[in-house]
Amino acid sequence: MPLVPCRACGHNVDTSALACPSCGATDPGKKISRQQRETRAFVLQLVVALLLFGGGSWYVWHEFMPVIKAAIVKQNQGG
Ligand SMILES: [Zn+2]
């Protein structure tokens, strides 16, 4: 069985160990820590937010630009 350093304390533990014998951290051999999972979730939320923001901006741009243009033209013509 391969040994890996515990993600919490660095003590060498078996990859199949359920808990670190040194510090007691659960799943010491797991490569993805909770912090990495949270970072992934954060990045995913960021991507979704950017997509929503980008789509919203595109919609507003195409929905209101003709109105704004017409208003500017009207203002220039009428004074
Ligand atoms: Zn440990």
Side-chain angles (χ1 to χ4, degrees), residues 5-13 19-25 28:
C6 167
R7 59 183 161 82
C9 70
H11 184 83
N12 277 340
V13 290
C20 173
S22 178
C23 70

